[in-house]
Amino acid sequence: MMTLLRSETLPVREASDILLVRQLVRECATTLGFSVLDQTKLVTAASELGRNTLIHGGGGTMLLETFVKNDRRGLRLTFEDKGPGIADLEQAMTDGFTTKGGMGLGLGGSKRLVNEFEVVSRVGEGTRVTATRWT
């Protein structure tokens, strides 16, 4: 059984929103008792996913949820946009692939930083990326 501890939605509409996303994720990860290394992994993933939401999706939201399930604490981040979607998800998950001149580590790199990772994208409708890390 899962017990939701906190649920908060933040806009991701401009570059300054990424800073607020990072701050909230670090605050919640600290409160849940994540190690400094795991905090850094979560903040890095949130930063990358937020940047993708802004740059590729034209902006959107981040839903942050903290919860307890079977004596484990978790932090789930869901980034959602109504942008163009991802035409080739397999290619987009490949390290080095970029459409905007970045390093091409966003999705694949973020996936490696968390325990659970899911991308749902529909061309012309938008993208939802959910990333969860457990203590």
Side-chain angles (χ1 to χ4, degrees):
M1 182 167 132
M2 184 174 89
T3 303
L4 185 64
L5 302 174
R6 180 175 182 172
S7 177
E8 188 168 341
T9 301
L10 290 179
V12 180
R13 306 228 183 278
E14 53 191 54
S16 61
D17 292 337
I18 305 298
L19 178 60
L20 297 175
V21 162
R22 291 171 57 91
Q23 289 171 340
L24 180 62
V25 170
R26 179 157 318 268
E27 171 193 319
C28 289
T30 301
T31 300
L32 287 173
F34 280 92
S35 69
V36 173
L37 177 60
D38 285 344
Q39 290 174 39
T40 301
K41 288 178 178 182
L42 274 164
V43 169
T44 301
S47 185
E48 288 297 319
L49 295 172
R51 193 171 294 113
N52 281 356
T53 299
L54 183 62
I55 293 170
H56 302 289
T61 59
M62 178 198 73
L63 171 64
L64 178 143
E65 298 169 295
T66 63
F67 50 89
V68 176
K69 183 176 182 181
N70 300 330
D71 295 326
R72 296 177 69 199
R73 293 175 308 279
L75 196 154
R76 178 183 301 131
L77 307 172
T78 303
F79 289 86
E80 193 162 6
D81 66 63
K82 301 293 183 202
I86 302 170
D88 187 340
L89 187 55
E90 185 176 337
Q91 184 181 36
M93 293 293 296
T94 304
D95 286 349
F97 176 75
T98 179
T99 59
K100 301 281 185 179
M103 293 175 56
L105 298 175
L107 287 177
S110 295
K111 181 178 181 179
R112 287 189 297 275
L113 295 171
V114 297
N115 301 117
E116 298 171 16
F117 191 83
E118 178 186 42
V119 180
V120 176
S121 188
R122 291 181 180 80
V123 174
E125 295 181 25
T127 301
R128 183 178 65 242
V129 179
T130 304
T132 305
R133 182 130 188 118
W134 297 93
T135 55

